[in-house]
Amino acid sequence: MKIGGGEATEKESSGGFQFEAVDFEPCFVKEHEIKQLWEKWGLDSCSYMKRFSFDEFFSKHQIDVFLKDFFASAKVQQSMHVSAGRSSWSGIGPVRSAEVEELNTKVANMSFFDKIKELDPAVVRDNEMLSIVKCFDDMADGVLVSDELRKLLLIEDSEHYPEFDDEERKEMILHLLQRLAVGGGTCQYEDHLMPYLETTKLVYKDLVAVAKNASTKKVEVTSLAYQLKSVNAYFDLFPRNALEHHSFCYLVIEPLERYVTVWYGAHIPAL
């Protein structure tokens, strides 16, 4: 999906959305064990998560106006930034156009990942910490793949890649697991699946809201997730030395509570 210009894109209010920064501490900031993993995975220096409130009703068809207003907002510009290289950041501004993909948020519990534990040949071994099976080294868009988990997540012609179909691969929670398993440019990989799953669960709770469906009595995710792929603006979403496939900018919009959470990361390979 692409959103495009118009003379009003340089103004703060192209459709009425106004934004305010919200005090927000994600789990990798406030929880010591998760913070340590974040540093181990090389995500502490190249990624961040921020939250902003907005003042108007949001529905999916308004995503183009929402994004224009978001990047044109002075409050957003004061708080949000993009990577300009290793340990270097720069400001943002209005966008003339952008490419964004809507993701799925149907998953409401961690049973979504049970199939990883049951695959044959095994991706993980049947022990308490679910040891990840090693494999021969391969490359996936600039990232070394040396275990069956990252092979399943990243390499399309691998044996287990089809275990998650196209719709499942659009799930925000699977994107999250993949980003954690790849990490940043200085990532030290885990030997076990459990730290990835436990962190995925906590970060997913930071990103999405849930509510009980009055009809079905089931808990459902109410948030809407989008991946921002690129922007046409005076700033670059990611620096030139970042690996495009492994860099990300997600916007998760909670229409009922009227806030949006941004999770940004630029994957810059280690020297």
Side-chain angles (χ1 to χ4, degrees):
M1 180 192 305
K2 291 187 177 180
I3 66 171
E7 294 180 358
T9 60
E10 297 294 320
K11 299 178 181 179
E12 178 164 351
S13 182
S14 59
F17 291 100
Q18 302 289 324
F19 298 88
E20 294 284 345
V22 175
D23 288 336
F24 170 63
E25 282 195 340
C27 61
F28 54 83
V29 172
K30 64 185 179 182
E31 299 195 22
H32 180 67
E33 290 185 6
I34 305 303
K35 184 177 181 179
Q36 286 185 315
L37 289 172
W38 218 252
E39 294 171 355
K40 180 181 179 182
W41 298 338
L43 291 167
D44 58 314
S45 61
C46 69
S47 71
Y48 63 83
M49 192 178 290
K50 292 183 181 290
R51 179 168 290 172
F52 303 89
S53 64
F54 56 90
D55 63 343
E56 298 289 337
F57 173 80
F58 173 83
S59 60
K60 290 183 179 182
H61 74 273
Q62 294 174 295
I63 186 61
D64 55 346
V65 172
F66 185 92
L67 286 175
K68 292 174 188 176
D69 286 348
F70 181 78
F71 282 101
S73 166
K75 297 298 178 64
V76 173
Q77 291 172 14
Q78 289 169 10
S79 180
M80 189 173 161
H81 43 269
V82 291
S83 175
R86 186 173 302 280
S87 302
S88 178
W89 299 87
S90 62
I92 64 167
V95 299
R96 293 180 290 275
S97 61
E99 182 180 0
V100 63
E101 178 184 5
E102 182 180 355
L103 302 179
N104 296 329
T105 52
K106 299 175 184 177
V107 177
N109 60 70
M110 296 298 288
S111 64
F112 177 75
F113 294 117
D114 285 351
K115 67 174 73 178
I116 295 178
K117 309 169 190 177
E118 301 162 357
L119 294 175
D120 184 21
V123 170
V124 296
R125 303 201 185 282
D126 187 17
N127 53 42
E128 185 178 356
M129 292 299 290
L130 301 174
S131 300
I132 301 170
V133 176
K134 302 300 180 182
C135 68
F136 291 113
D137 288 352
D138 203 344
M139 297 296 293
D141 299 292
V143 165
L144 177 66
V145 174
S146 56
D147 63 58
E148 293 291 343
L149 175 64
R150 280 175 285 150
K151 193 173 177 181
L152 175 153
L153 293 171
L154 300 175
I155 299 182
E156 294 186 22
D157 61 357
S158 64
E159 181 175 3
H160 291 316
Y161 190 89
E163 295 294 339
F164 289 101
D165 63 28
D166 290 344
E167 284 302 301
E168 289 174 319
R169 286 187 176 273
K170 288 177 64 179
E171 286 289 341
M172 181 67 220
I173 198 168
L174 187 58
H175 277 243
L176 213 168
L177 176 63
Q178 178 177 318
R179 300 308 184 188
L180 299 184
V182 171
T186 58
C187 181
Q188 301 175 57
Y189 300 116
E190 294 295 322
D191 292 323
H192 306 93
L193 180 61
M194 284 307 297
Y196 290 132
L197 291 183
E198 291 168 355
T199 307
T200 295
K201 180 179 180 179
L202 292 173
V203 177
Y204 195 56
K205 288 175 67 176
D206 280 339
L207 287 172
V208 305
V210 297
K212 183 174 288 188
N213 185 303
S215 301
T216 65
K217 307 302 181 184
K218 293 182 178 181
V219 173
E220 298 178 350
V221 176
T222 58
S223 306
L224 304 171
Y226 298 87
Q227 183 178 4
L228 188 63
K229 298 292 191 70
S230 64
V231 295
N232 179 359
Y234 81 84
F235 66 93
D236 293 321
L237 192 58
F238 308 109
R240 291 184 180 180
N241 61 339
L243 297 182
E244 180 180 359
H245 189 76
H246 302 296
S247 300
F248 54 86
C249 183
Y250 297 106
L251 289 88
V252 182
I253 300 172
E254 174 43 48
L256 300 181
E257 299 294 332
R258 293 186 180 177
Y259 63 78
V260 55
T261 306
V262 179
W263 185 32
Y264 174 95
H267 187 109
I268 301 174
L271 298 176

